[in-house]
Amino acid sequence: MNIKMPDFDVKKFVKGAGSTLSRVVQLTEEKLGTSEKTEMDARFEHLSERSDSAKLWTEKIMRDTEAALIPNPANRVEDFIFEKIEKQKPKRLSNLEYLGLDMIEGGGEFGQDGPYGSALIKVGQAEQKLGSCERDFIGSAGMCFIQPLKKFLEGEMKTITKEKGVLESKRLDLDACKNRVRKARSMIGQQAAERDLRVAQSEFDRQAEITKLLLEGISTTQATHLRYLHSLVEAQVRYYGQCNKIMSDLQRELVSMRPPTPRLRVNSEDVDLTCGPPYLSKFQSQDSSQHYQQTITLHPAIPITSEQPPLSISPAAFPIVEDSIIAALVANSDPCDISVL
């Protein structure tokens, strides 16, 4: 059985190894200050710095946008893995949607006919709508902003980085040839070194022109990125507009579900006063020790009709409430926490 061995070009391998060694030597001598270095013109250096800055800030903006859209780093890693393997992100419920589900289930357990249970269901449904809007916004922002930036970094920017690396190699080859020309002693050795120098100079000039053209294209990509940025803002405007409408509608529904009867609120606890006098007032009385003591009095409800104007009644005409229900509620309460809704 004959096994065909892969073709192996020994000359090419030796030449490549020699070039690599020559570049390492040249770079080492430059670091030590014993060899000259070919400098690029000011225009090229400016373009190169702009390219590095564009790469740095595009990467930062892309990462920050991803973090703002998907705060959980574990989810971002999961999305990255699924995109590489499955070519699509995994489908998951958002935190708002989980909250909405639990509120709806809790409202059902508490009783959908009761005020708290029915309110929980309404809020849960609104939270689910918010979660759905959030998921749509994340998808839209990813398509119109993150994906184009990622494509720029993995395509155009990666090509520029590669060509700049090739240019640096050509520059090292050129400077190494210049050193050999300076060190050549014999006529034959000098002619060979000068021939190599002309070839290296030609390759360096060609690579510098290619790289410069790519660098100049960075300025045109910023106009394209500006359109992506406008698309992101438009997606945010739609998202926050939808969220505002959902919450405004929810607020109106909750207000319509609120019982119209007067209630006493003590430390965020609501007490229905339909079983007793619904009118609450506060005044101060002076005790025998010449100290003012704040007390709470409860007035009987007085019906008011359109034909009859409101009656003016002095709080002193009614007794101070000291019975079990109200007194137990307000005994340890700050007066500032007590109000009538």
Side-chain angles (χ1 to χ4, degrees):
M1 181 178 179
N2 296 326
I3 301 177
K4 186 177 180 181
M5 299 297 293
D7 296 334
F8 184 74
D9 192 336
V10 178
K11 292 183 178 180
K12 186 177 180 180
F13 173 77
V14 172
K15 183 179 179 181
S19 298
T20 302
L21 179 60
S22 175
R23 292 166 187 166
V24 171
V25 172
Q26 175 63 28
L27 187 61
T28 303
E29 290 179 350
E30 289 175 0
K31 295 294 183 181
L32 296 175
T34 59
S35 178
E36 296 182 2
K37 176 181 177 181
T38 299
E39 300 292 343
M40 307 300 298
D41 61 81
R43 171 65 177 170
F44 185 93
E45 292 294 345
H46 174 68
L47 291 173
S48 181
E49 290 175 1
R50 287 188 59 188
S51 169
D52 294 340
S53 178
K55 180 176 183 296
L56 172 67
W57 286 105
T58 302
E59 288 174 340
K60 284 186 175 182
I61 291 170
M62 188 186 71
R63 287 196 302 267
D64 291 344
T65 306
E66 289 177 330
L69 296 175
I70 307 175
N72 191 333
N75 288 346
R76 295 201 297 274
V77 173
E78 184 182 26
D79 290 348
F80 175 78
I81 295 174
F82 269 77
E83 282 184 324
K84 292 298 183 182
I85 299 176
E86 302 292 338
K87 303 303 179 183
Q88 62 179 0
K89 294 182 180 180
K91 295 181 179 180
R92 70 171 73 88
L93 293 180
S94 66
N95 293 336
L96 288 173
E97 288 174 309
Y98 280 119
L99 173 61
L101 283 174
D102 289 343
M103 282 185 168
I104 292 173
E105 292 182 7
E109 288 293 327
F110 292 138
Q112 59 183 0
D113 296 330
Y116 181 54
S118 60
L120 266 180
I121 293 174
K122 289 288 185 183
V123 176
Q125 292 170 344
E127 297 296 343
Q128 285 187 317
K129 292 178 183 178
L130 290 175
S132 178
C133 290
E134 180 187 38
R135 188 169 59 252
D136 293 342
F137 167 61
I138 292 173
S140 298
M143 290 294 295
C144 71
F145 190 68
I146 294 178
Q147 288 299 328
L149 295 187
K150 187 177 295 185
K151 185 177 180 181
F152 164 73
L153 290 172
E154 294 178 352
E156 186 174 350
M157 203 68 245
K158 194 172 183 179
T159 300
I160 290 175
T161 302
K162 177 183 176 182
E163 295 300 328
K164 286 174 70 176
V166 173
L167 178 62
E168 178 64 10
S169 298
K170 298 297 183 182
R171 200 273 304 165
L172 290 171
D173 291 342
L174 174 62
D175 289 338
C177 288
K178 289 179 179 179
N179 286 334
R180 284 198 294 271
V181 168
R182 285 193 294 268
K183 295 176 182 179
R185 288 184 170 80
S186 65
M187 183 63 68
I188 298 177
Q190 187 174 2
Q191 291 176 350
E194 289 176 349
R195 183 176 60 252
D196 292 340
L197 176 60
R198 287 192 295 271
V199 173
Q201 184 71 57
S202 175
E203 292 181 353
F204 171 78
D205 292 340
R206 178 176 176 275
Q207 184 61 35
E209 188 64 26
I210 293 174
T211 308
K212 189 175 183 179
L213 289 174
L214 291 173
L215 292 174
E216 288 175 340
I218 293 293
S219 59
T220 61
T221 62
Q222 291 188 358
T224 306
H225 291 181
L226 179 60
R227 293 199 300 270
Y228 301 151
L229 184 60
H230 286 177
S231 299
L232 173 65
V233 173
E234 291 170 3
Q236 282 184 298
V237 170
R238 288 194 302 270
Y239 168 60
Y240 288 117
Q242 291 170 341
C243 291
N244 181 66
K245 184 179 184 303
I246 291 171
M247 296 309 296
S248 297
D249 293 343
L250 173 63
Q251 188 178 41
R252 283 193 293 269
E253 285 190 75
L254 293 179
V255 169
S256 66
M257 295 167 59
R258 180 180 296 172
T261 57
R263 291 171 294 142
L264 174 67
R265 171 166 289 180
V266 179
N267 292 338
S268 301
E269 294 291 337
D270 291 342
V271 180
D272 192 348
L273 302 179
T274 54
C275 299
Y279 187 83
L280 184 70
S281 69
K282 294 185 290 185
F283 69 94
Q284 291 181 330
S285 63
Q286 191 173 17
D287 60 16
S288 57
S289 303
Q290 301 298 318
H291 294 293
Y292 284 94
Q293 177 183 9
Q294 180 169 280
T295 59
I296 299 177
T297 61
L298 209 57
H299 300 247
I302 299 176
I304 299 175
T305 62
S306 57
E307 296 83 6
Q308 182 182 7
L311 297 178
S312 176
I313 301 177
S314 171
F318 299 94
I320 297 176
V321 176
E322 295 178 352
D323 56 61
S324 59
I325 298 177
I326 302 300
L329 288 170
V330 303
N332 298 317
S333 301
D334 188 330
C336 295
D337 292 328
I338 303 175
S339 61
V340 172
L341 305 176

